Amino acid sequence: MVTPLRDRDQLDVAGLERLVERAIDGGVSGLFILGTTGEGPSLSYRLRRELVERVCRQVKSRVPVLVGITDTAFVESVNVARHAADAGADAVVAAPPYYLPEAQPELREYLDHLVPELPLPLYLYNMPALTKVSFELETVRHAMDNPRIVGLKDSSGNLDYFKRAAGLLKQRPDWTLLIGPEEMLFESILAGGLGGVSGGANLFPKLYVRLCEAARAGDVARARELQAQVLCISGSLYRIGRHSSSIIKGIKCALACLGICNDFMAEPFHRFRAEERALVESRLKEIETALSKLSL
Amino acid sequence: MVTPLRDRDQLDVAGLERLVERAIDGGVSGLFILGTTGEGPSLSYRLRRELVERVCRQVKSRVPVLVGITDTAFVESVNVARHAADAGADAVVAAPPYYLPEAQPELREYLDHLVPELPLPLYLYNMPALTKVSFELETVRHAMDNPRIVGLKDSSGNLDYFKRAAGLLKQRPDWTLLIGPEEMLFESILAGGLGGVSGGANLFPKLYVRLCEAARAGDVARARELQAQVLCISGSLYRIGRHSSSIIKGIKCALACLGICNDFMAEPFHRFRAEERALVESRLKEIETALSKLSL
Amino acid sequence: MVTPLRDRDQLDVAGLERLVERAIDGGVSGLFILGTTGEGPSLSYRLRRELVERVCRQVKSRVPVLVGITDTAFVESVNVARHAADAGADAVVAAPPYYLPEAQPELREYLDHLVPELPLPLYLYNMPALTKVSFELETVRHAMDNPRIVGLKDSSGNLDYFKRAAGLLKQRPDWTLLIGPEEMLFESILAGGLGGVSGGANLFPKLYVRLCEAARAGDVARARELQAQVLCISGSLYRIGRHSSSIIKGIKCALACLGICNDFMAEPFHRFRAEERALVESRLKEIETALSKLSL
Amino acid sequence: MVTPLRDRDQLDVAGLERLVERAIDGGVSGLFILGTTGEGPSLSYRLRRELVERVCRQVKSRVPVLVGITDTAFVESVNVARHAADAGADAVVAAPPYYLPEAQPELREYLDHLVPELPLPLYLYNMPALTKVSFELETVRHAMDNPRIVGLKDSSGNLDYFKRAAGLLKQRPDWTLLIGPEEMLFESILAGGLGGVSGGANLFPKLYVRLCEAARAGDVARARELQAQVLCISGSLYRIGRHSSSIIKGIKCALACLGICNDFMAEPFHRFRAEERALVESRLKEIETALSKLSL
């Protein structure tokens, strides 16, 4: 979930409410806040706490709320996790500490030390492009020995890795394996994943929900059709800017065009300008036309 | 400066005092706390504040205190800077936000927005290996237009870059250009730099001070002799571990061997084990013998 | 196809014959020689010519023969291509020149200049991990304007890229889109690819042929079963060495264990030692047992 | 030395003669042909042989001729080396094979196998940005055990590495340690290097010769002055294009402006267009004015 902002360090409260309702109405199985798309690391701790509280209060346990606690500082990760538990969240999500890269044995020990401090179950978040360090498969296997670690979100974009992670589920059939990049959501479910943490579900939750359902049900034709539409959304909305932040900018801009929430970005990033917004607007029209034909 | 720790989220207060006095006695021109070697990003904000207060109180303006405010969250950088000003620090130091990489125009705008919020002058900190993003020369040139930005610490290890940055000093002769990697401290001063922010100065401040003096005075023979000793320290103490954290571990372990402070590391890292510590101990003896012959 | 060697610059002629027959008997749709797995860039031009001649003579047009001409030197690529045409090969395959990286406009112009010199149709070979440079989608689109360029083998491992390349096939429905990494062969066909250039097909061609057939026929259950077996082969045979050459070493070692050909490697690589070979041998047994249950 | 070309696979013979004489008149200590700046890997073997013959014939042992034999194919490296010996060259130079990356033990074994096949002494060429693989210090130390390996050209741009390599010269005082990047030529000699393999010496050999002389003589003031001029040449001529090939393009274009040789580039690169050439031309004028004041 993106974090709707009105200004620096100010939530767009009304936009947040609309966004949450749209997702729940769309049928999502859960909400993941304070992740990469949620600009988690760019937000003040005060705002992170406010966001966690507001989302939990609004969701009222209709779906599970997962809270990102990825941090370079161990103690701050624990602080956010404790606050999340108090607010009523259901789980926390952590990528490896991402300033000075740690080795795998250090990462395993980090998990061993972190988990006992957490009042909520933990999902691992594999995001090597941004954290430099990957949860290597041996580390995932190690994590599976810990019953408080309950799943993995893989944003590596490496389907081979994902499949091998799926192969480890024999050891922990209760684990939840989720994929980040929505461009391979269908394939991830075919490979044994449960679903996706898809940025585009901020915009069109029903599309992603239907895609997961079709894939899980083995309806290959329908899943391919829906996946093709997801690929088209990604191609038309996420690559307008040239920089790595263009995915989030594209999603927030489209949400603003749809009247859902503000497209203010946390520093050091900035919303699209008029020219790029016009492009988003016209592409959104095409997407909505295409979506209307899919009878979601 | 390293951050002496007794335990997770606990300063080694006595060790910190010894470390600060050793540096000032050694003749350093200033102290930089909460940098990479100071494990800044791994520490809780509470501990960062405590460290800033204790160091400022102890230094009592004998030398300037520079405080690292590098953060992925703009607001937290400002918070640390404000606290540093209140505590009596002299300047703050910021590397680029380091989770989602920003483009140079975004980095320039980030500086434009950050500086007005800071109650202290700002040094840039170029550390691309850890932040992914570099302060490119055009961005440094832009920063020089802002009188509140007063210098650059370059830890790129790229002497070509450093020399070109030195070439820009014509525009701002008051700027302070410092080098990170102590392995090229001599060359950096030859190239127009003022001095170094050297991890090894935690251990042997006088050596680094004398090296800077010799280099600035144009005493090439003496500077080369001292630089060779610095290279030897780096080669024998910083590469004992195989991982990127081995520099900090080596320095902290050597400080513990010297009876200066505890070698506890912030998560996700851990102090050297007995085997590695024995190696540090024996190499320290060789270094001390060599240092005694240099009549610092 | 691997290149069976008896010694430095000496083909294992008998092994080569067995290997070719095994592949054709296994039902492969074509042979790609002098690729990465074929150690093409490590072989002398003399040996490359001998290999091309022997393979073409033996295949006798039973299946198409594709010849790798990837080279840092334009003229040598053309030389190999001309020789391949004379020997009766059907097409050539080129990755970007891989010493000094070129920009995409340079790569497009390179193709524009190369194709008129080639007596055979050209397949592009996307292999950014080794060539540093990718055939970006805009360049693929450009290549599709040239009727002499007839396909793309993508070894990027990036399924998002592959899907977008598949999306371009509208422009050239006659193009052949093939995937390198066999770990995602099934998904590549689901996404619109035609098949794979799979190193493991040296060992068990029938498995890969059946997998492609099942995937093309939409028999998802069977394709998943066969793909899982391919993943298992990859996991157990290609990762025994720690280095990037371990895939080729694993395949060649397994071929030697199966009595098909010698496992001599071109410099700077070397065959597995006894210890690793024992591992390959025992894993091969497990694989053969598993394969026998799949009734290929 | 650049390789003057008239057209694809055609030497600019007259230009080559002028270039060689200019370098020898300028006082260079040797010529290195078929390196990166010489576009070695982009040239056909026929042209490489022709170049070696012509250069050796013209130089007539006035200075040593070093010939690049870097290749992905072991046998082709040996072939070029044999031809170089027949033509009268003095040594060969090899970077690691650069397609599939090899590990250090493989690289050491590669050297062990290569050297006995070479009729000439060997220089190592460390160029990790292009070959992916570095001659790590342990491998350099190993190479020093072989009397037929006589030196190292380091183009890593990492002064720390260079200094540590210089530290190894105790073991082989007869070794020749040279630096690639001319931006740190002065510092490399201060650190124990003998000199540079400087692309800019194609243009202004005397400048680089004088810089080496001043640095070796310990004339720091003069060396800094000359090094500053070298930095200025690099900054104004090598960065006109945006791509990695812009150094070679800049040098060849400047040579053409000076009437020395043709600026034709081997594929996949192309000479600067009129606009960029105009820039080179105007900057050359400034450089020549500055050079005239240096009384070389």
Side-chain angles (χ1 to χ4, degrees):
Chain A
M1 208 178 84
V2 305
T3 302
L5 298 170
R6 264 198 324 136
D7 207 337
R8 181 186 300 157
D9 211 26
Q10 296 206 341
L11 278 178
D12 169 9
V13 174
L16 175 63
E17 288 177 8
R18 281 189 294 271
L19 186 66
V20 167
E21 291 310 313
R22 183 179 178 91
I24 295 179
D25 287 354
V28 302
S29 313
L31 289 177
F32 172 30
I33 60 176
L34 293 176
T36 302
T37 301
E39 299 171 89
S42 302
L43 304 174
S44 76
Y45 288 94
R46 189 207 61 68
L47 193 142
R48 295 189 214 187
R49 286 192 299 268
E50 184 189 346
L51 177 74
V52 171
E53 281 163 26
R54 288 190 183 276
V55 169
C56 289
R57 206 181 312 144
Q58 193 189 338
V59 169
K60 283 207 196 71
S61 303
R62 288 177 285 170
V63 296
V65 174
L66 284 66
V67 176
I69 62 167
T70 304
D71 209 293
T72 52
F74 184 95
V75 171
E76 299 300 343
S77 287
V78 173
N79 287 346
V80 175
R82 288 184 183 156
H83 185 266
D86 291 347
D90 300 89
V92 293
V93 186
Y98 53 93
Y99 186 66
L100 210 58
E102 62 276 0
Q104 293 298 308
E106 290 167 329
L107 187 54
R108 286 196 280 275
E109 210 171 343
Y110 170 80
L111 292 175
D112 293 345
H113 292 189
L114 181 65
V115 172
E117 307 291 329
L118 299 178
L120 292 174
L122 174 67
Y123 286 79
L124 308 182
Y125 181 7
N126 193 42
M127 180 44 127
L130 296 183
T131 62
K132 302 167 199 144
V133 173
S134 189
F135 284 110
E136 291 183 9
L137 289 164
E138 193 46 44
T139 300
V140 174
R141 205 187 316 258
H142 172 84
M144 285 180 163
D145 290 340
N146 191 324
R148 297 286 289 166
I149 305 183
V150 297
L152 168 69
K153 173 190 170 187
D154 174 33
S155 292
S156 68
N158 179 337
L159 190 61
D160 185 7
Y161 172 92
F162 188 89
K163 286 180 167 190
R164 293 188 195 281
L168 298 177
L169 292 178
K170 285 190 296 285
Q171 193 184 327
R172 279 285 299 275
D174 63 309
W175 252 44
T176 299
L177 182 59
L178 302 169
I179 195 145
E182 58 197 69
E183 293 82 0
M184 49 187 82
L185 180 48
F186 168 41
E187 289 83 1
S188 76
I189 294 174
L190 269 187
L194 186 66
V197 184
S198 310
N202 283 282
L203 291 163
F204 308 110
K206 218 173 273 180
L207 170 64
Y208 295 80
V209 168
R210 292 288 175 269
L211 168 47
C212 288
E213 290 168 352
R216 283 190 219 117
D219 184 349
V220 172
R222 178 65 168 166
R224 287 175 74 175
E225 180 183 43
L226 299 174
Q227 178 68 68
Q229 182 55 46
V230 166
L231 200 72
C232 167
I233 289 172
S234 150
S236 67
L237 293 183
Y238 301 171
R239 301 173 169 210
I240 287 174
R242 287 169 308 136
H243 308 310
S244 67
S245 54
S246 70
I247 300 178
I248 309 176
K249 287 178 186 169
I251 295 173
K252 277 200 154 175
C253 183
L255 285 167
C257 293
L258 293 171
I260 298 166
C261 68
N262 200 308
D263 59 349
F264 189 90
M265 298 276 299
E267 303 262 6
F269 301 108
H270 295 282
R271 59 160 65 93
F272 279 151
R273 286 158 305 178
E275 188 189 13
E276 292 145 335
R277 181 168 175 144
L279 207 52
V280 168
E281 215 145 1
S282 80
R283 291 183 177 176
L284 260 183
K285 294 228 174 70
E286 293 167 26
I287 292 168
E288 291 188 309
T289 307
L291 286 176
S292 69
K293 293 181 187 149
L294 286 171
S295 47
L296 301 171
Chain B
M1 207 177 86
V2 304
T3 302
L5 298 171
R6 266 198 321 135
D7 207 337
R8 180 186 301 157
D9 211 27
Q10 294 206 342
L11 277 179
D12 168 9
V13 174
L16 174 64
E17 287 178 9
R18 281 190 295 272
L19 186 67
V20 167
E21 291 309 314
R22 184 180 177 91
I24 295 179
D25 288 355
V28 302
S29 313
L31 290 176
F32 173 30
I33 60 176
L34 293 176
T36 302
T37 301
E39 299 170 89
S42 302
L43 305 173
S44 75
Y45 288 94
R46 189 208 60 70
L47 193 140
R48 294 188 215 187
R49 287 192 298 267
E50 183 188 347
L51 177 75
V52 171
E53 281 164 26
R54 287 190 184 276
V55 169
C56 288
R57 207 182 311 142
Q58 193 189 339
V59 168
K60 284 205 195 71
S61 302
R62 287 177 287 169
V63 297
V65 175
L66 283 66
V67 176
I69 61 168
T70 304
D71 210 294
T72 51
F74 184 95
V75 172
E76 299 300 343
S77 287
V78 173
N79 286 347
V80 175
R82 287 184 184 156
H83 185 265
D86 291 346
D90 300 90
V92 293
V93 186
Y98 53 93
Y99 185 65
L100 208 59
E102 63 276 359
Q104 294 297 308
E106 290 168 329
L107 186 53
R108 286 196 281 275
E109 210 172 344
Y110 171 78
L111 292 175
D112 294 345
H113 292 189
L114 180 65
V115 172
E117 307 291 330
L118 299 178
L120 292 173
L122 173 69
Y123 287 80
L124 308 182
Y125 180 7
N126 193 41
M127 180 43 127
L130 296 183
T131 62
K132 301 168 202 143
V133 173
S134 188
F135 284 111
E136 289 182 12
L137 289 164
E138 192 47 43
T139 301
V140 173
R141 204 189 315 258
H142 173 83
M144 284 181 164
D145 290 340
N146 190 325
R148 296 287 290 167
I149 305 183
V150 296
L152 169 69
K153 173 191 171 187
D154 173 34
S155 291
S156 69
N158 180 338
L159 190 59
D160 185 6
Y161 173 90
F162 189 88
K163 286 179 165 191
R164 293 187 196 282
L168 297 177
L169 293 178
K170 284 189 298 283
Q171 193 184 326
R172 278 287 298 274
D174 63 309
W175 252 45
T176 299
L177 182 60
L178 301 168
I179 195 144
E182 57 196 71
E183 294 81 2
M184 49 186 82
L185 179 49
F186 168 41
E187 290 81 2
S188 76
I189 294 175
L190 269 187
L194 186 67
V197 183
S198 309
N202 283 283
L203 291 163
F204 309 111
K206 217 173 272 179
L207 170 64
Y208 295 79
V209 168
R210 292 288 174 269
L211 168 48
C212 288
E213 290 168 353
R216 283 190 218 116
D219 184 348
V220 172
R222 179 65 167 165
R224 287 175 73 175
E225 182 183 43
L226 298 174
Q227 177 68 69
Q229 181 56 44
V230 166
L231 200 72
C232 168
I233 289 171
S234 150
S236 67
L237 294 183
Y238 301 170
R239 299 173 170 211
I240 287 174
R242 286 169 308 137
H243 308 311
S244 68
S245 55
S246 71
I247 300 178
I248 309 177
K249 287 177 185 169
I251 294 173
K252 278 200 152 176
C253 182
L255 284 167
C257 293
L258 293 171
I260 297 165
C261 69
N262 200 308
D263 59 349
F264 189 91
M265 297 276 299
E267 304 262 7
F269 302 108
H270 296 281
R271 60 159 65 92
F272 278 153
R273 286 157 307 176
E275 189 189 11
E276 291 145 337
R277 181 167 175 144
L279 205 54
V280 168
E281 214 146 3
S282 80
R283 289 182 177 178
L284 259 184
K285 292 228 174 69
E286 293 168 24
I287 291 168
E288 290 187 309
T289 307
L291 285 177
S292 69
K293 291 180 188 150
L294 286 173
S295 46
L296 300 171
Chain C
M1 206 177 86
V2 305
T3 302
L5 297 171
R6 265 197 323 135
D7 206 338
R8 180 185 300 157
D9 210 27
Q10 294 204 342
L11 277 178
D12 169 10
V13 174
L16 175 63
E17 288 178 9
R18 281 190 293 272
L19 185 66
V20 167
E21 291 309 314
R22 183 180 178 90
I24 295 179
D25 287 354
V28 302
S29 314
L31 290 176
F32 173 30
I33 59 176
L34 293 176
T36 302
T37 301
E39 299 170 271
S42 301
L43 304 173
S44 75
Y45 288 93
R46 189 207 60 69
L47 193 141
R48 294 189 215 187
R49 286 192 298 268
E50 183 188 345
L51 177 75
V52 172
E53 281 164 25
R54 286 190 184 276
V55 169
C56 288
R57 207 182 311 142
Q58 193 189 338
V59 169
K60 282 205 197 70
S61 303
R62 287 177 287 170
V63 296
V65 175
L66 284 66
V67 176
I69 62 168
T70 304
D71 210 294
T72 52
F74 184 95
V75 172
E76 299 299 343
S77 287
V78 173
N79 287 346
V80 175
R82 287 183 183 157
H83 185 266
D86 292 346
D90 300 89
V92 293
V93 186
Y98 52 93
Y99 186 65
L100 209 59
E102 63 276 1
Q104 294 298 308
E106 291 168 329
L107 187 53
R108 286 197 279 275
E109 210 172 343
Y110 170 79
L111 291 175
D112 293 344
H113 291 191
L114 180 65
V115 172
E117 306 291 328
L118 299 178
L120 292 172
L122 173 69
Y123 286 80
L124 307 183
Y125 180 8
N126 192 42
M127 180 44 128
L130 297 183
T131 62
K132 301 167 199 144
V133 173
S134 188
F135 285 110
E136 290 182 10
L137 289 164
E138 193 45 46
T139 301
V140 173
R141 205 189 314 259
H142 173 84
M144 284 181 164
D145 291 339
N146 190 324
R148 297 286 289 168
I149 305 184
V150 297
L152 168 69
K153 172 190 171 187
D154 174 33
S155 291
S156 68
N158 180 338
L159 190 61
D160 185 6
Y161 172 91
F162 188 88
K163 286 180 167 190
R164 292 187 196 282
L168 298 177
L169 292 178
K170 285 189 297 282
Q171 194 183 327
R172 278 287 298 275
D174 62 310
W175 253 44
T176 299
L177 182 60
L178 302 168
I179 196 145
E182 58 197 68
E183 294 82 1
M184 48 188 83
L185 179 48
F186 167 42
E187 289 83 0
S188 76
I189 294 175
L190 270 187
L194 186 67
V197 183
S198 310
N202 284 281
L203 291 163
F204 308 110
K206 217 172 275 182
L207 170 63
Y208 295 79
V209 168
R210 292 289 174 269
L211 168 48
C212 288
E213 290 168 353
R216 281 190 220 118
D219 184 348
V220 172
R222 178 65 168 167
R224 286 175 74 175
E225 180 183 44
L226 299 175
Q227 178 67 69
Q229 182 55 45
V230 166
L231 200 72
C232 168
I233 289 172
S234 151
S236 67
L237 295 183
Y238 301 170
R239 300 174 169 210
I240 288 174
R242 287 169 308 135
H243 308 310
S244 67
S245 55
S246 71
I247 301 177
I248 309 176
K249 286 177 185 170
I251 295 173
K252 278 199 153 177
C253 182
L255 285 168
C257 293
L258 293 172
I260 297 166
C261 68
N262 200 308
D263 59 349
F264 189 91
M265 297 276 298
E267 302 263 8
F269 302 108
H270 296 281
R271 59 160 65 93
F272 278 151
R273 285 157 308 176
E275 189 188 12
E276 291 145 337
R277 180 168 175 146
L279 207 53
V280 168
E281 214 145 4
S282 80
R283 290 181 176 177
L284 259 183
K285 293 228 174 70
E286 292 167 25
I287 292 168
E288 290 187 309
T289 306
L291 286 177
S292 69
K293 292 179 188 150
L294 286 172
S295 47
L296 299 172
Chain D
M1 209 177 84
V2 304
T3 302
L5 298 170
R6 266 198 321 137
D7 207 337
R8 181 186 300 158
D9 211 27
Q10 295 206 342
L11 278 178
D12 168 9
V13 174
L16 175 64
E17 287 178 9
R18 281 190 295 271
L19 185 67
V20 167
E21 290 311 313
R22 183 178 178 92
I24 294 179
D25 288 354
V28 302
S29 313
L31 290 176
F32 173 31
I33 59 176
L34 293 176
T36 301
T37 302
E39 299 170 272
S42 302
L43 304 173
S44 75
Y45 288 95
R46 188 206 62 68
L47 193 142
R48 294 189 215 188
R49 286 193 299 268
E50 183 187 347
L51 177 75
V52 172
E53 281 164 25
R54 287 190 183 276
V55 169
C56 288
R57 206 181 311 143
Q58 193 189 339
V59 169
K60 285 205 194 68
S61 304
R62 288 177 286 171
V63 296
V65 174
L66 284 68
V67 176
I69 62 167
T70 305
D71 210 293
T72 51
F74 184 95
V75 172
E76 299 301 342
S77 287
V78 173
N79 287 346
V80 174
R82 288 185 183 155
H83 185 266
D86 291 347
D90 299 90
V92 292
V93 186
Y98 52 93
Y99 186 65
L100 209 57
E102 62 275 0
Q104 294 297 309
E106 290 168 329
L107 187 53
R108 286 197 280 276
E109 210 172 342
Y110 171 78
L111 291 176
D112 293 346
H113 291 190
L114 180 66
V115 173
E117 306 292 329
L118 299 178
L120 292 173
L122 174 68
Y123 287 79
L124 307 182
Y125 180 8
N126 192 42
M127 180 45 127
L130 297 183
T131 63
K132 301 168 201 143
V133 173
S134 189
F135 284 111
E136 290 182 10
L137 288 165
E138 193 45 45
T139 301
V140 173
R141 205 188 316 260
H142 173 83
M144 284 181 163
D145 291 340
N146 191 323
R148 297 286 290 167
I149 304 183
V150 297
L152 169 69
K153 173 190 170 187
D154 174 33
S155 291
S156 68
N158 180 338
L159 191 60
D160 186 6
Y161 172 92
F162 189 89
K163 286 180 165 192
R164 293 188 195 280
L168 297 177
L169 293 178
K170 285 189 297 283
Q171 192 184 327
R172 278 287 298 275
D174 62 309
W175 251 44
T176 299
L177 182 60
L178 302 169
I179 195 145
E182 57 196 70
E183 294 81 1
M184 49 186 83
L185 179 48
F186 167 42
E187 289 81 2
S188 76
I189 294 175
L190 270 187
L194 186 67
V197 184
S198 310
N202 283 283
L203 290 164
F204 308 111
K206 218 173 272 180
L207 170 64
Y208 295 80
V209 168
R210 293 288 175 269
L211 168 49
C212 289
E213 289 168 353
R216 283 191 217 115
D219 184 348
V220 170
R222 178 66 167 164
R224 285 174 74 175
E225 181 182 44
L226 299 175
Q227 178 68 67
Q229 182 54 48
V230 165
L231 200 71
C232 168
I233 289 172
S234 149
S236 67
L237 295 183
Y238 301 171
R239 300 172 169 212
I240 288 173
R242 287 169 308 136
H243 309 311
S244 68
S245 55
S246 71
I247 300 178
I248 309 177
K249 286 178 187 169
I251 295 173
K252 279 200 152 175
C253 182
L255 284 168
C257 293
L258 293 171
I260 296 166
C261 67
N262 200 308
D263 59 349
F264 189 91
M265 299 275 299
E267 304 263 6
F269 302 108
H270 295 282
R271 58 160 67 93
F272 278 152
R273 287 156 306 176
E275 189 189 11
E276 292 146 335
R277 181 167 175 147
L279 206 53
V280 168
E281 214 145 2
S282 81
R283 290 182 176 177
L284 259 184
K285 292 228 174 71
E286 292 168 25
I287 292 168
E288 290 188 309
T289 306
L291 286 177
S292 69
K293 291 181 188 150
L294 286 172
S295 48
L296 301 172

